[in-house]
């Protein structure tokens, strides 16, 4: 299932590949559609490959989170109106695990990570089974925790990693072990 990655909104400064990728965000970059804030932004940075059918995508994410809404994680995209971004987002002075599901308009859910520090590696996993997507995370090797189960069209898409900095430029995001492969088991309560 591995294929060539391509940039959506290539950052000016980046290096690496799916094994080890580092980049800095441009100024006021984000993926968002309308809800609450009333604006549309589609200028975040994403390193993506094509996917079809069921799959699991995962990556280990680190970032120099300092400014409101600094964010880095996984991104699943059909087009500018249908996508999911998930990972770490810095808000209210601490890291949160964040999921935004967009189908015409965006929603936003967060889980505060009070015990986590920006130096902790966070593993992010996104699995599509038919027309449903499961989002999970693990901090510093802890067991996987489910953050979201949501509907999402079972159509061809692109998946990979993303980072944005809606309030600044120069947020440094680091990724390793970006993997896309067969889906994990459908059992929501398995220890996998």
């Amino acid at each position: 299932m591995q294929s060539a990655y391509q940039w959506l909104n290539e950052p000016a400064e980046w290096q690496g590949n799916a094994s080890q990728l580092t980049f800095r965000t441009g100024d006021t970059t984000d993926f968002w559609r309308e809800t609450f804030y009333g604006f549309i932004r589609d200028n975040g940075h994403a390193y993506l490959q094509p996917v079809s059918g069921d799959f699991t995508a995962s990556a280990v994410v680190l970032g120099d989170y300092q400014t409101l809404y600094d964010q880095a994680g996984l991104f699943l995209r059909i087009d500018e109106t249908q996508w999911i971004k998930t990972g770490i987002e810095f808000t209210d002075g601490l890291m949160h695990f964040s999921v935004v599901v967009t189908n015409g308009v965006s929603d936003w859910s967060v889980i505060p990570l009070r015990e986590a520090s920006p130096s902790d590696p966070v593993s992010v996993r996104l699995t599509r089974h038919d027309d449903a997507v499961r989002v999970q995370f693990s901090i510093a090797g802890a067991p996987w925790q489910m953050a979201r189960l949501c509907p999402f069209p079972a159509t061809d898409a692109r998946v990979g990693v993303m980072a944005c900095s809606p309030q600044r430029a120069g947020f440094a995001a680091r990724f390793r072990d970006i993997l896309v492969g067969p889906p994990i088991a459908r059992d929501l309560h398995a220890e996998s």
Side-chain angles (χ1 to χ4, degrees):
M1 197 178 270
Q2 290 288 357
S3 183
Y5 284 85
Q6 293 185 331
W7 283 105
L8 172 66
N9 307 321
E10 183 175 347
E13 184 182 335
W14 70 275
Q15 61 182 10
N17 54 37
S19 297
Q20 197 95 324
L21 179 69
T22 303
F23 63 91
R24 289 189 177 275
T25 57
D27 192 25
T28 59
T29 51
D30 201 3
F31 294 108
W32 188 261
R33 289 193 66 84
E34 297 185 22
T35 306
F36 192 76
Y37 301 107
F39 59 75
I40 295 174
R41 287 197 188 149
D42 196 47
N43 64 346
H45 308 292
Y47 188 65
L48 307 171
Q49 72 157 348
V51 286
S52 60
D54 293 353
F55 66 89
T56 292
S58 61
V60 179
V61 180
L62 290 128
D64 296 332
Y65 308 101
Q66 299 172 10
T67 303
L68 183 64
Y69 305 134
D70 284 353
Q71 58 195 267
L74 292 177
F75 195 54
L76 173 61
R77 180 182 175 104
I78 295 171
D79 58 29
E80 67 276 4
T81 66
Q82 293 180 298
W83 48 262
I84 297 172
K85 68 176 178 178
T86 184
I88 297 300
E89 187 160 356
F90 191 75
T91 183
D92 299 322
L94 68 130
M95 293 168 47
H96 289 71
F97 192 80
S98 169
V99 184
V100 174
V101 179
T102 297
N103 187 6
V105 295
S106 297
D107 71 14
W108 185 31
S109 61
V110 293
I111 299 170
L113 303 178
R114 290 184 176 85
E115 305 303 315
S117 76
S119 63
D120 289 334
V122 178
S123 297
V124 183
R125 186 162 71 181
L126 182 153
T127 301
R128 181 167 71 183
H129 288 289
D130 299 320
D131 60 355
V133 167
R134 175 177 16 167
V135 176
Q136 299 170 285
F137 67 96
S138 169
I139 300 172
W144 288 102
Q145 179 176 331
M146 188 167 82
R148 189 83 177 260
L149 182 65
C150 61
F152 196 75
T155 189
D156 291 351
R158 294 182 293 161
V159 71
V161 295
M162 68 84 206
C164 308
S165 56
Q167 303 291 321
R168 68 167 171 145
F171 165 58
R174 298 180 302 283
F175 305 90
R176 67 176 191 258
D177 304 327
I178 305 168
L179 301 172
V180 180
I184 61 171
R186 288 183 68 104
D187 184 354
L188 293 178
H189 307 285
E191 295 285 329
S192 60

